[in-house]
Amino acid sequence: MNINKPNRTSRSVLLKGGALAWAQLAALSGLLTMATVSSAGDAQQIIRDRCLSCHSETGDRQAPFSRISQQRKTPEGWEMTLQRMQAIRGLKISPQEKRTLIKYLSDTQGLAPAETEGVRYVLEQNRNAVESLENQAIAGKCSVCHSGARVALQRRSEPEWEKLVHFHMAQFPTIELLAGARDHDWFEQTINEIVPELANSYPLNSTQWSDWKTVKKQPLTGSWRAVGWLPEKGEYEARFTVTALDSDYYNLDIRGKYADGSPLSGTGRALVYTGYEWRSNVTINGIKMRQVFAASEDGLAMEGRMFLRSANELGGAVRAVRESPDRSHILSISPSYLKQGERSVINIIGSRLYGKIALGHDLKVLKILSRSADRVSVLAEATEGASLGKHPVSIGSANGGYLAVYDRLARVEVTPTESIARVGGNGGKLAKQKVAYRAVGYAAGNDGQPGTEDDLRLGYMPAHWSLKAFDEVAEHDKDLLFAGTINSVTGVFIPGDAGPNPARKMSTNNVGQLAVVATVKDGNQQVSGDNHLLVTVPTFMFPVIQ
Amino acid sequence: MNQSNLIEKRRLGLVLAGALAISVLASGCSSTQHHADASGSVSGTESAKGESHEYLLTVTRPNNLHVIDMESHHITRSCDIPGSFGGQISLSPDNRTAYILSNGMENVYGLNIETCEQVFSAIQSTADVKVKTFVSIAVSSDGAELYTVQNPVRRLKDEFKVMSPVLAVFNTEDGLNARPVRTFPVDRRITTIAAAANGEVFLGGGDLKAINPKTGEIRMVSALQSEDRPRWLTPDAFAMFNLGEQANEYILPYVTAEFADDTMNFETAAWWWGMNRVDLATGKNQRMEFAPFEFIIFNLVADPNDKNIVYGAFNTISKHDVKNKKVLGVKDLDHTYYNINISGDGQRLYIGGTSSDISIHDHESLEKIGSIQLPGDMSTADLRVARLPH
C-alpha cells in the first residue's frame, strides 16, 4: 500500500471529522417565493441599514461600501457570503431584504456569461463533475477543501483576494497545517504568489463584464422548445411557456413527454439574475425540481441542468431554444448513430421542422414514420459503404446535430467518469446520495485505435449495468457485497445503509470502491466500459457552491 | 500526482495525501510535554514501581480531565475544565499540575490533579486579537515557566489580519489570569513543542528548531521542509500529540519517500516513516527513517527501557526495531485510536483518543489485555502519564 491509499477506516473516520463549515443549504431555492423587484435605491438603503454597523461608506462613488463593492460573484456566491454574515458575523436581515440584496448585487456586481463558462457545474449542483482549473498553482492551493470553480466564479480586486486569504486563515486556523500545505510556507506563498495570480486570472474589472453591462437584456418570455434527460425517466422533449410576472420574474408552464411517450407536465416560477442566470423552482408530475440555466447573450437559447430538489445528484442536462416564426431548430437526434449497412428509427426533435429531411450523403430516409413541426420520426438506412463519421442533419432550414455513421462499437465510456455516492438512510437524517450513469459509445475512428483523439463519439447508448470491485483492497473487503446496488436497466446506483455494519471488519460503514460497468450490445458483440465509484460516508455539508 | 478532479473528492484528498492530522486539528488539538521526574533523570524501571504511582490523564467531552489509576485502571478523579472542549496536557515537573490547552485552542488552565483546584489560567485572546495555539504547550523543566506558540489574528470590523506567531512565555506563579512575560517571533505552522533540561524549547513545525526562551534566539535542529535531499520527498511532519514523555524525549514523526531515480515517480518510490527524537535531558536530536509506510502510524512512543523499541498506533498497533528498521509485530485494532502511551515499566501500552475507550495492550504480544471505559468522548485529547508519590 502506498501513502495515497490509507486504509478504509482511516478514510471514513477522518472524513467525518472535518467540520470546516457551518451548514449551508439549498442554493437560492428559497429566493423564488415572491417577486423581488426593488429599485437600486432600495437595495443600497438595505446595505446602509443592515451592513454599516460593521462595513463602512468609503466616499468613493465607484466603490461606495467597504469590502462589498470590490468583488463580483454569482447569485449563489452572494448568497453564501450573506449566509456567512448571518450565521457567524451577526447580520440581522429579513428574508425579503436578503432576496433583494442578492438580486441587486448579482445584477450590479455579477459575472458576465463568458466569465462563468466551463465552471457552471457547481452552480448546476453537479457533484460528479471532474474539474481542471487552468491555473495549476491556484488549483493546488485553493481547490483542496472546495471546488476550484468556487474560486473561478469570483472576480475581485487584488486587495480583496488578499483579504479573502486572511479570512481563510482566521476562519480555519489550521488551513496551513493540512497535508499539502504544512510542508511549505503556505501562507507566505499564498499571499505573495497566489494572490497576484488570482487578481490576474480573476480581476475585478474585465472587458467581458463591461461589455455585458452595456448589452440590452432581453426578457425571456415566450415559448421555448426544450430537450433534456432525467435519471430513471430518460430523454424528454418539452415546451416551456414563459410569461412575465414582473421584471426578471416569470411564470413557467411545462408540457412535454418522455421518449417512452409518457407525459411530462408542470409549472413553476423563475427569477433571472444578471440578465441571464435563470433559476427556477418547478414541480413536474408532482416532483419538486430546480432549473439552473444560463440564457445565451442574445437571449435566444438556454442551457443548464434540471435536478430533483430533494436529491441534487439526480438530474440531467437541458437545452432550450426560444421559438420564433422566422427560426427553426433541431435540438436532438436520437439515437445519434447509425451503423454502416443497417437501418433504424431516428427521432429528430426541434422547433418548426418544416421542409426537406436531409441526413447527408450515403444515408437514406426509407420511410417517414411520423411528422410534426416539433418532431420527425424516420426509418433511416446507411449504405454498406456509407462514409464513417459525422453526417450533419437538416430539415428545411433547421440545422443542428449529426448522425454518426460507424462500423463497429469500439469503446464504451461510463459517465460520470468519476463518481461519489454516499451511504445514508437507515434511520439517519441524511438520505443516500445516489449516482445516475449513462453510457457513451465510441467508434475507433480513422486510425482504427480506440482511446485516441480521433475516436468517433456515437452518443448515449442503452446499456446493461453491473458492478465489480474496484481493486484488490475492495475485493478483500468485499465492497461489492456491502456498498450498494445498481439498477441494470436505468443505471442508477443506490448505496448501502448508513452506520457501522457489524458484518464488516472493524464494523466499517458500507463504504467501498467499486467499478460501474456498462455493457452495450452492438450486433453480435458486446462492449463494456467501466469507471470508478467511491462509496463513502454521508456529508453534513451542503454548501451553496461546492 | 493526479491533481484536480472530482470536486466532491476534495475533502477526501485531504485524507489521501497521508494527511491524518487535519480532522484532528480542525476540531481542536493536542499536545503536551513533560518528563516524568523532577530531577530530569530518565524514568527507569526502578522508579516506576514502588516509590510512586502512575496515573493516566486524558480529557473527555464535554470538558473533563480524568485521572486514571494505572494499576486498577479505574478513574480516581474527574475535574471540570472551564470553557469548551480541548485536551492538550502538559505537566509540571512534580506532575501535580496539569496545564490544559482548552476552549477552542485558546486558553490554558492549570489544574491540581490531586484536588481539581484551578491554580493557573491564561486567556490568550483579547477583544480584537484572536489567538489560537494549535498543540503547542510546554512547561520548563524547573516548572517556573509555561510556553505556548500563539497564532494571532487581528479582528477588525469587517476584515481580519493574520499576524506573526510568537512564543509566549508565562510565569506559572502568576496564577489566574496570567499574561505573557515575554514573547518572541517564531515560524508559522508550529504544532508540538517541548522544553529540555538545558532550557531550550523545541519547536516542531515545518522544520524542527529550538528557541532560547530567554533571548528568543532560534537554531535549526533538523531541516525538514527546508532540507535539500536529492531524490527524497520533502518530509511531511505531522505532530498532533506530544510524544515520548516516558522516555524523557520529544518525538516528531514524519512521512517521506525515497525516489528510485530523478524522475521522482511516486509509483516506484519507497515510502518511509521517519522521526526526529530529541533527548530532553541533553537536547541532542537524532533523525531517522525507521519503518516502511505500510500502515498508518499516527503516533509513536518509545519503550522507556529500550529506546530502540518504539510502538505506533492508529488503525493498527505496531512494534518497531528502530536500528534495524524492522517491524516486530503489527495487530489490527477494533477501531481507530489517535493516541498512544506506555507504562513506566514498559509493560503495557495505552491507546486512546477518537472514542470513549482506552485500549490496553501487552508490549510483547500486542494483544489487548484490558480496556478503560470513559464517561465521554476523548476525540483528540492527549493521553499523558503523571507519576505521584501515592
Side-chain angles (χ1 to χ4, degrees):
Chain A
M1 191 157 81
N2 80 23
I3 193 165
N4 288 315
K5 292 182 185 162
N7 80 32
R8 168 144 310 129
T9 324
S10 68
R11 186 206 295 151
S12 50
V13 166
L14 290 165
L15 269 173
K16 82 177 174 215
L20 287 168
W22 36 97
Q24 288 172 324
L25 296 159
L28 292 175
S29 42
L31 297 177
L32 287 158
T33 44
M34 61 178 92
T36 62
V37 190
S38 311
S39 69
D42 292 346
Q44 293 204 352
Q45 196 52 46
I46 296 172
I47 295 180
R48 289 201 180 87
D49 293 345
R50 299 284 171 247
C51 316
L52 297 189
S53 52
C54 306
H55 296 280
S56 52
E57 283 191 274
T58 60
D60 173 0
R61 298 191 80 210
Q62 295 304 309
F65 303 111
S66 71
R67 302 302 317 272
I68 300 167
S69 306
Q70 301 276 314
Q71 23 187 296
R72 295 191 283 121
K73 44 196 150 190
T74 57
E76 284 82 358
W78 282 115
E79 186 187 19
M80 275 187 82
T81 304
L82 290 189
Q83 273 188 2
R84 183 168 77 250
M85 294 302 124
Q86 283 182 285
I88 54 175
R89 304 288 170 243
L91 163 67
K92 298 271 180 293
I93 192 169
S94 74
Q96 172 63 44
E97 289 171 326
K98 190 173 166 189
R99 281 192 287 269
T100 304
L101 264 193
I102 292 173
K103 176 80 169 83
Y104 168 75
L105 289 166
S106 315
D107 287 349
T108 55
Q109 293 169 229
L111 261 57
E115 290 176 318
T116 70
E117 246 167 52
V119 276
R120 300 191 57 82
Y121 45 83
V122 280
L123 304 177
E124 293 170 354
Q125 308 298 324
N126 180 355
R127 294 178 165 246
N128 290 307
V130 175
E131 65 173 5
S132 57
L133 278 203
E134 227 165 79
N135 189 316
Q136 281 301 306
I138 295 175
K141 285 264 186 314
C142 307
S143 62
V144 178
C145 308
H146 47 68
S147 66
R150 186 188 283 183
V151 183
L153 285 171
Q154 297 217 349
R155 298 293 182 275
R156 293 167 179 251
S157 64
E158 184 157 342
E160 277 301 327
W161 281 116
E162 184 165 335
K163 286 175 182 168
L164 180 74
V165 175
H166 284 260
F167 151 73
H168 274 77
M169 288 282 288
Q171 200 65 47
F172 318 108
T174 56
I175 190 169
E176 54 181 344
L177 300 178
L178 302 184
R182 60 177 176 244
D183 60 358
H184 65 276
D185 286 330
W186 189 90
F187 178 63
E188 290 83 346
Q189 277 190 22
T190 304
I191 291 290
N192 298 329
E193 293 162 30
I194 302 299
V195 164
E197 299 252 3
L198 286 163
N200 194 37
S201 301
Y202 309 118
L204 180 63
N205 300 310
S206 71
T207 49
Q208 287 141 323
W209 177 243
S210 49
D211 289 352
W212 177 244
K213 277 198 295 191
T214 65
V215 169
K216 176 141 175 32
K217 315 298 186 296
Q218 303 299 324
L220 299 178
T221 47
S223 170
W224 297 74
R225 257 308 260 167
V227 293
W229 180 85
L230 281 172
E232 279 162 350
K233 308 293 280 181
E235 290 173 353
Y236 61 84
E237 56 178 296
R239 177 161 280 108
F240 299 165
T241 308
V242 177
T243 48
L245 294 169
D246 213 326
S247 126
D248 288 338
Y249 188 50
Y250 301 101
N251 187 68
L252 171 64
D253 184 77
I254 299 177
R255 245 152 257 280
K257 60 181 181 191
Y258 291 101
D260 68 3
S262 58
L264 169 154
S265 79
T267 55
R269 295 280 159 94
L271 189 57
V272 173
Y273 300 87
T274 334
Y276 72 101
E277 290 284 10
W278 168 284
R279 303 289 183 272
S280 82
N281 286 343
V282 294
T283 304
I284 292 181
N285 297 353
I287 296 172
K288 289 199 164 86
M289 302 212 204
R290 183 155 176 81
Q291 299 176 330
V292 176
F293 300 160
S296 60
E297 298 199 10
D298 60 11
L300 297 179
M302 287 202 284
E303 244 181 71
R305 184 167 177 268
M306 182 161 82
F307 48 88
L308 304 199
R309 283 179 67 183
S310 62
N312 290 355
E313 71 274 17
L314 298 180
V318 181
R319 284 178 56 223
V321 289
R322 199 205 292 250
E323 296 193 286
S324 143
D326 52 0
R327 281 188 309 272
S328 50
H329 303 270
I330 292 175
L331 277 168
S332 85
I333 299 166
S334 176
S336 52
Y337 45 85
L338 188 54
K339 196 170 185 172
Q340 278 178 330
E342 290 200 348
R343 53 179 64 173
S344 87
V345 176
I346 306 284
N347 298 304
I348 303 164
I349 293 157
S351 167
R352 302 183 64 79
L353 301 177
Y354 304 125
K356 185 172 171 318
I357 303 166
L359 302 184
H361 292 301
D362 318 325
L363 301 186
K364 276 201 294 265
V365 176
L366 296 180
K367 194 171 170 192
I368 297 175
L369 302 170
S370 68
R371 171 153 205 177
S372 72
D374 285 347
R375 179 192 175 96
V376 172
S377 194
V378 299
L379 182 66
E381 185 183 59
T383 59
E384 283 290 350
S387 62
L388 299 174
K390 299 178 175 181
H391 292 238
V393 172
S394 66
I395 300 183
S397 62
N399 291 304
Y402 61 84
L403 266 171
V405 173
Y406 71 108
D407 47 357
R408 242 184 94 242
L409 176 64
R411 171 164 84 83
V412 170
E413 181 184 270
V414 175
T415 62
T417 52
E418 276 283 335
S419 46
I420 281 196
R422 293 180 184 275
V423 298
N426 201 19
K429 282 208 183 82
L430 291 159
K432 297 179 179 194
Q433 183 179 315
K434 305 173 187 175
V435 188
Y437 295 97
R438 297 184 84 180
V440 180
Y442 289 86
N446 287 332
D447 63 3
Q449 289 285 59
T452 55
E453 278 219 339
D454 82 332
D455 283 8
L456 174 65
R457 187 181 193 275
L458 306 180
Y460 292 113
M461 296 181 124
H464 176 270
W465 296 94
S466 58
L467 298 170
K468 61 182 190 194
F470 180 69
D471 56 14
E472 273 170 41
V473 182
E475 189 105 41
H476 176 261
D477 292 350
K478 302 197 171 62
D479 288 354
L480 199 51
L481 220 57
F482 299 106
T485 55
I486 196 162
N487 182 308
S488 64
V489 179
T490 61
V492 173
F493 174 81
I494 302 177
D497 287 343
N501 184 346
R504 302 199 77 175
K505 188 176 140 197
M506 284 176 87
S507 285
T508 304
N509 278 258
N510 288 322
V511 297
Q513 308 248 24
L514 300 176
V516 174
V517 186
T519 305
V520 176
K521 263 177 108 166
D522 177 47
N524 299 330
Q525 64 154 356
Q526 289 199 333
V527 182
S528 291
D530 60 33
N531 81 340
H532 176 226
L533 163 63
L534 172 71
V535 183
T536 184
V537 295
T539 174
F540 299 87
M541 289 191 282
F542 302 96
V544 174
I545 295 181
Q546 271 269 307
Chain B
M1 273 193 290
N2 187 0
Q3 253 293 339
S4 76
N5 38 38
L6 195 59
I7 52 179
E8 247 212 276
K9 252 194 206 163
R10 313 238 164 249
R11 264 163 274 133
L12 277 181
L14 299 181
V15 178
L16 295 179
L20 316 166
I22 300 101
S23 54
V24 175
L25 270 169
S27 52
C29 257
S30 198
S31 135
T32 185
Q33 80 85 36
H34 94 290
H35 25 106
D37 181 324
S39 68
S41 76
V42 178
S43 52
T45 19
E46 322 89 275
S47 60
K49 289 260 164 181
E51 317 156 16
S52 62
H53 202 100
E54 285 182 318
Y55 296 89
L56 201 55
L57 305 185
T58 192
V59 175
T60 63
R61 289 183 195 278
N63 210 11
N64 305 99
L65 172 73
H66 301 287
V67 182
I68 303 158
D69 186 317
M70 284 172 72
E71 256 163 41
S72 70
H73 293 150
H74 286 128
I75 298 176
T76 306
R77 197 166 296 107
S78 296
C79 310
D80 290 341
I81 309 165
S84 64
F85 179 78
Q88 291 69 55
I89 306 168
S90 189
L91 281 158
S92 62
D94 66 5
N95 285 202
R96 287 205 163 83
T97 310
Y99 295 91
I100 302 156
L101 174 63
S102 205
N103 202 40
M105 308 191 276
E106 288 183 25
N107 302 345
V108 180
Y109 298 101
L111 300 185
N112 179 321
I113 63 169
E114 293 168 316
T115 64
C116 290
E117 188 197 350
Q118 189 183 323
V119 296
F120 180 86
S121 70
I123 313 300
Q124 301 196 91
S125 292
T126 60
D128 60 340
V129 177
K130 191 100 176 153
V131 171
K132 296 283 176 185
T133 292
F134 299 134
V135 286
S136 330
I137 172 170
V139 182
S140 64
S141 61
D142 62 5
E145 292 186 333
L146 174 94
Y147 309 108
T148 66
V149 172
Q150 301 187 328
N151 296 275
V153 175
R154 188 170 296 286
R155 301 207 154 209
L156 303 171
K157 275 188 113 176
D158 68 355
E159 71 173 291
F160 303 142
K161 284 211 165 93
V162 174
M163 297 155 69
S164 161
V166 293
L167 179 86
V169 181
F170 297 87
N171 280 336
T172 51
E173 280 207 336
D174 285 351
L176 303 184
N177 287 321
R179 310 288 322 155
V181 290
R182 299 186 298 280
T183 61
F184 303 105
V186 293
D187 287 351
R188 300 207 68 85
R189 291 175 290 116
I190 292 169
T191 57
T192 59
I193 64 174
N198 67 2
E200 282 185 313
V201 180
F202 286 81
L203 308 170
D207 294 314
L208 176 58
K209 295 185 178 176
I211 186 168
N212 176 334
K214 299 270 179 299
T215 64
E217 202 178 313
I218 294 176
R219 70 178 172 98
M220 178 73 87
V221 176
S222 174
L224 296 164
Q225 66 166 32
S226 49
E227 142 185 273
D228 185 16
R229 192 181 183 194
R231 286 198 189 173
W232 282 78
L233 182 69
T234 305
D236 184 10
F238 54 96
M240 298 307 135
F241 302 91
N242 217 308
L243 307 168
E245 61 184 358
Q246 288 286 53
N248 196 27
E249 63 179 351
Y250 164 79
I251 297 179
L252 181 64
Y254 62 85
V255 172
T256 184
E258 184 178 14
F259 296 106
D261 52 43
D262 291 337
T263 62
M264 308 273 275
N265 182 340
F266 282 94
E267 298 294 319
T268 56
W271 292 82
W272 288 97
W273 289 100
M275 64 175 162
N276 276 290
R277 57 198 306 192
V278 178
D279 182 333
L280 292 176
T282 62
K284 289 235 159 54
N285 177 56
Q286 272 186 297
R287 175 179 165 187
M288 64 210 71
E289 282 81 37
F290 69 94
F293 189 107
E294 280 164 0
F295 43 83
I296 295 167
I297 308 170
F298 196 33
N299 281 312
L300 294 167
V301 68
D303 181 338
N305 305 313
D306 178 1
K307 287 203 205 174
N308 185 48
I309 301 295
V310 300
Y311 302 90
F314 194 63
N315 294 319
T316 53
I317 183 166
S318 54
K319 180 171 183 171
H320 303 264
D321 173 336
V322 173
K323 212 169 19 199
N324 297 309
K325 302 185 199 280
K326 258 183 78 173
V327 180
L328 300 176
V330 51
K331 281 252 169 355
D332 282 340
L333 295 173
D334 51 3
H335 66 77
T336 303
Y337 294 86
Y338 286 155
N339 212 328
I340 184 165
N341 217 321
I342 191 166
S343 59
D345 60 10
Q347 300 290 308
R348 292 179 314 279
L349 293 151
Y350 294 82
I351 56 176
T354 326
S355 186
S356 59
D357 65 306
I358 294 169
S359 188
I360 309 166
H361 294 254
D362 177 70
H363 74 120
E364 294 267 358
S365 65
L366 302 180
E367 289 300 346
K368 182 165 187 154
I369 51 171
S371 170
I372 303 167
Q373 194 58 43
L374 299 171
D377 204 325
M378 278 171 283
S379 180
T380 56
D382 252 339
L383 205 54
R384 310 267 49 105
V385 177
R387 182 170 298 121
L388 296 175
H390 47 82

